Amino acid sequence: MGGLTDILDEQLDYTEKGSIPQVGDRLRQFLHIAEFASERFPDSSTHVRDGDWIVTRVERYFPNYPDSSKREIVVCYCAFDPIVSQLEPLGRAMPANAALKVSAIAK
């Protein structure tokens, strides 16, 4: 994808609902297609697809000291396995104040 690295993706999840990647999961690839770009965020991703990297092993590490800022660290090992997958357009994010108004109206 344009470079060599040991780290393909890094994510932080501060929710209680976060799901752990499983063997066989594919990393998602976010793409920018200029003709679909937003005027407000012209360089942002516009589409997503299942990527060419597939999870082959998952290791979970739990801190053993009580004042750790992390509950768990998950390391996924991946293999390059190219596929042709469908591009999906990304939805537009809604500003927080607009989301609150929609939520209030729905109640």
Side-chain angles (χ1 to χ4, degrees), residues 21-92:
Q22 303 295 312
V23 170
D25 287 352
R26 287 191 173 270
L27 273 63
R28 301 287 278 168
Q29 182 181 11
F30 293 87
L31 304 163
H32 172 80
I33 301 174
E35 65 187 83
F36 296 100
S38 160
E39 289 181 21
R40 188 168 176 196
F41 302 104
D43 297 327
S44 65
S45 298
T46 59
H47 290 73
V48 66
R49 74 173 194 98
D50 285 339
D52 293 328
W53 292 94
I54 189 166
V55 176
T56 58
R57 187 171 94 217
V58 177
E59 294 180 1
R60 298 171 74 172
Y61 299 95
F62 300 91
N64 58 1
Y65 49 94
D67 60 343
S68 172
S69 65
K70 307 290 184 260
R71 276 191 337 209
E72 179 177 13
I73 295 173
V74 179
V75 177
C76 299
Y77 294 84
C78 299
F80 187 69
D81 184 20
I83 62 166
V84 175
S85 61
Q86 190 73 20
L87 276 179
E88 302 169 18
L90 288 172
R92 297 285 178 227

